[in-house]
Amino acid sequence: MKSESWILAIDQSTQGTKAILTDAQGNIVGRCDKKHRQIISAQGWISHDPDEIFENVKAAAALVIEKTGINKNSIKAIGISNQRETTVMWHKDGTADQMAVVWQCDRAKEITESLDFASEMVREKTGLPLSPFFPASKMAWLIQNTKAADYFLGTMDTYLVYRMTEGKVFKTDYSNASRTQLFNLHTLKWDKDLCRLFGVPLAALPEVTDSNGDFGSTTLDGYFESPVPICAVLGDSHGALFAHGCHEKGMVKATYGTGSSIMMNTGSVYKKSRFGLASSLAWGIDGEVSYVLEGNINYTGAVVSWLEHDLSLIESPKAIELLIKKANMQDETVFVPAFSGLSAPYWDNDARAMVYGMSRTTGKAEFVKAALESIAFQITDVLRAMESDSGIKICHLQVDGGPTANAYLMQFQSDMAGVKVQVPDSEEFSALGAAYMAGIKAGMYQKDQIFSDKPVTEYKPVMAEKERAEKLSRWKYALHLCMQHQSYQQKK
């Protein structure tokens, strides 16, 4: 390998931890993954072991360096991207009495329900709907269920930085702070009223700094001979936005994962959503912050997993395209994946999944096609909400994630949204965002070069307008029907 210096990026996600190495041109030259346990209680609470995750960070970093055969002392900087909202409580020595509360866990639901009177104030200050999925209520739950008097509270990035620096650095970045529901998007500070509302001591919260700020240095418990600087920290969705080069107002990306995060960079001014989206910070860089509008969807890639593992309709995600080629393209079946209600931009927790428009000739191929198309329909609705909130017409959509390898889905997405869809040749965009930001901070990358000439596959709208309008109309009607579930139940 020609590069003499390397960037190590850690992507600590919900299912596991991956470490990647990038060279002087920003190319990924190695990757290693370490899974961690998904701890689910009898009550359905979802937890992670923070100590297990920290050990996996160290192990993944060592493995990728050993796998590529580079000199470990040639690592120039480290960047971190992390699963957002997962919340940790720990002591000065790094030990934790409780498991980390995972972002998906709603164990703090009773806390948020008791604070419903303050929902408008919470939304106005933080840009987020009052919900047990955000860290504020998770922190409140941990405080109420732990006897400890002295403790630190933070999201996974803060915990990892603390452990990696052996307790010397207790910081988070603007992107992660903006997702806690304790951070004021107008003052760019922890909000005393919100902390009082949730019972979270200000002293237990980390210092908030730029995403490319000084997060100290680490030897990873002696693995490196000399400390390596941690030069970037970003929430995973924000890392993907940065890696896509969506640095200007109006640029949009969609990450197709288990669920999906669709983000629009709205520039330097806070934009309150009126159409079912959340407002957050994209990042802080060199003392300046950028804001985003974001829509999160519960079931996108998870629909494909459902087809494979629960219904056994496909052998693997790769088999979908071959099956859809056998489908009748005139079939009008529509599937709404509201397994746990509908998220952005509809926000109907009582909606239930349904199939609409089947005929006698609808078979396996047609059903699978309808399920896959539901992903594009949902993302299109978020994009329309973004246009309404921002006043900006979306012409290009940058995408990443496993389902983007499906050419039928990407073409259908382009047709339904009426936008050009650009699919990069790399999948690890959360980690790449952290790597690029750390490399720029460390002087290894030039911003005007690292984001230029990245190969993409582009899809353009080709469907006739009449056909597109008919498909969207059937989708809207199916949505309407599935959101009638609650009123039907009440009449029974």
Side-chain angles (χ1 to χ4, degrees), residues 218-232:
T218 182
T219 64
L220 286 182
D221 276 358
Y223 177 72
F224 296 120
E225 294 177 11
S226 300
V228 179
I230 304 170
C231 292

Side-chain angles (χ1 to χ4, degrees), residues 19 23 182 217 230 264 330 334 348 402 423 430 441 471 477:
D23 62 15
L182 295 173
S217 298
I230 304 170
M264 171 188 275
Q330 304 307 311
V334 177
D348 187 334
V423 185
S430 296
K441 178 70 174 183
K471 289 181 181 295
Y477 186 66

Side-chain angles (χ1 to χ4, degrees), residues 30-31 37 41 73 102 121 131 138 194 244 260 263 275 292 326 370 430 447 468 489:
R31 165 185 166 176
R37 293 172 295 151
S41 73
N73 297 315
V102 179
M121 183 264 282
S131 167
K138 297 182 191 297
L194 292 173
H244 276 297
S260 281
M263 272 188 176
F275 295 93
V292 292
K326 301 176 182 178
S430 296
K447 186 176 178 181
R468 173 178 174 270
Q489 290 293 98

Side-chain angles (χ1 to χ4, degrees), residues 5 20 45 52 68 131 135-136 173 177 187 189 192 250 286 342 345 405 446 467:
S5 296
I20 69 166
W45 297 348
E52 178 187 9
T68 52
S131 167
D173 89 298
T187 65
K189 294 180 181 179
K192 293 181 180 179
D286 298 334
L342 289 167
Q446 297 299 314
E467 182 181 0

Side-chain angles (χ1 to χ4, degrees), residues 15-53:
Q15 298 298 320
T17 300
K18 69 173 66 75
I20 69 166
L21 285 172
T22 58
D23 62 15
Q25 288 72 45
N27 301 312
I28 297 176
V29 296
R31 165 185 166 176
C32 282
D33 297 70
K34 294 286 290 184
K35 295 285 187 181
H36 57 257
R37 293 172 295 151
Q38 305 298 313
I39 305 166
I40 303 176
S41 73
Q43 303 101 310
W45 297 348
I46 310 170
S47 304
H48 290 161
D49 182 343
D51 191 60
E52 178 187 9
I53 287 175

